[in-house]
Amino acid sequence: MSLIPKNKSPIVNAVSAQCITVIGAPKVGKSTFASQFPNALFAATEPGLNFLEVYETPIRSWKEFTTLCRELAKNPQHIETLVIDTVDLLYIQCQTHHCQEHEILHPSDLSYGKGFGLINNDFRRVLSLLTLLRTKKKNPMGLVFITHAKEVEVDTRIGKSMQWRSTLPQSAANIVLGMSEMILFLDVENNERLIRTNKSERWTAGDRTGRLPEKLPLNYAALTAALGEEK
């Protein structure tokens, strides 16, 4: 049985072929923002989409995710954007898969860091293949990683401070953020929800396109307008 839900709405214009990471605290609006991307399919590793009208495929294991990837590669149907919500739990599923495969309780049970090496290499391999996905029109498929944020204490030029960072383990975060043209931190300022695009001592963000302002309203239309694209 296909993991790709049937089409129920007309095709609309897609954002440029960008790999985007969306970072934010719980309930800030990460999934709602991602739901505005064209013909988005949510690979949902955790619940929380009940109030959003989206294409959703529950992902309960690493094997289910790799099966979905193969289906999209073979026939993307109407899908133009793949949203992984959340990539944090997807990494845990990858870790669980390899621990079960090698009959260990924890990656550290394999000596010389081999456990973490196996997991990170497979995680990187599969995510890299996602960049090769194409839509029905042979355009690159959009890719959105959603990750939770947490405040951690870090050393800065002026001493220690608190910074919002992805809850992914650092090795996995390096893989995901390294793939991303845009790293968008979702924030609230004066009761207004914002997208922050520039790196700060207070949060993780970045814009390799060089086309985005430091902050913009939290909606897809504002993002496409800043990129100079048709909505």
Side-chain angles (χ1 to χ4, degrees):
M1 180 180 295
S2 175
L3 292 175
I4 305 175
K6 298 294 185 181
N7 191 11
K8 58 184 177 182
S9 66
I11 300 295
V12 293
N13 292 321
V15 73
S16 291
Q18 305 284 356
C19 178
I20 300 172
T21 294
V22 176
I23 305 176
K27 307 303 181 183
V28 74
K30 300 184 295 297
S31 299
T32 300
F33 173 57
S35 73
Q36 299 167 7
F37 281 66
N39 289 323
L41 170 62
F42 277 71
T45 62
E46 62 180 57
L49 301 175
N50 293 341
F51 298 103
L52 295 176
E53 187 175 348
V54 295
Y55 306 117
E56 175 187 359
T57 294
I59 299 296
R60 294 161 291 236
S61 68
W62 183 243
K63 184 177 180 180
E64 283 191 351
F65 181 71
T66 57
T67 298
L68 172 64
C69 295
R70 286 193 295 271
E71 287 191 14
L72 286 169
K74 184 177 180 180
N75 182 9
Q77 298 181 34
H78 55 284
I79 304 303
E80 294 190 46
T81 310
L82 176 62
V83 180
I84 301 175
D85 187 7
T86 61
V87 71
D88 312 64
L89 281 184
L90 184 67
Y91 182 77
I92 292 174
Q93 289 174 354
C94 180
Q95 177 173 302
T96 299
H97 170 80
H98 285 282
C99 284
Q100 291 175 345
E101 192 172 67
H102 291 84
E103 299 181 339
I104 57 176
L105 296 177
H106 191 270
S108 61
D109 292 341
L110 291 181
S111 59
Y112 306 109
K114 290 172 64 175
F116 286 108
L118 284 169
I119 294 162
N120 291 332
N121 287 340
D122 196 29
F123 190 68
R124 180 185 294 106
R125 178 188 65 83
V126 172
L127 295 194
S128 296
L129 290 174
L130 297 180
T131 63
L132 303 178
L133 291 175
R134 293 294 181 267
T135 67
K136 199 72 172 177
K137 295 182 179 180
K138 305 304 180 184
N139 296 317
M141 187 175 292
L143 181 60
V144 179
F145 298 115
I146 294 180
T147 175
H148 292 307
K150 63 179 178 181
E151 277 194 297
V152 298
E153 188 176 71
V154 297
D155 292 319
T156 69
R157 296 167 296 176
I158 56 174
K160 294 185 180 297
S161 69
M162 300 303 291
Q163 183 182 82
W164 286 97
R165 288 188 174 181
S166 167
T167 55
L168 279 166
Q170 192 59 53
S171 58
N174 290 342
I175 294 168
V176 171
L177 301 183
M179 291 175 58
S180 303
E181 285 90 9
M182 288 180 277
I183 303 165
L184 309 179
F185 177 70
L186 308 194
D187 194 16
V188 180
E189 181 180 81
N190 298 324
N191 294 320
E192 180 183 4
R193 297 189 181 194
L194 303 170
I195 301 172
R196 298 194 186 274
T197 67
N198 280 11
K199 183 179 179 181
S200 165
E201 292 179 349
R202 287 286 296 121
W203 55 75
T204 301
D207 170 32
R208 294 191 177 102
T209 73
R211 297 159 67 186
L212 298 178
E214 290 187 6
K215 61 182 180 180
L216 59 157
L218 178 51
N219 61 71
Y220 178 77
L223 178 64
T224 56
L227 291 170
E229 298 186 3
E230 184 181 359
K231 294 187 283 291

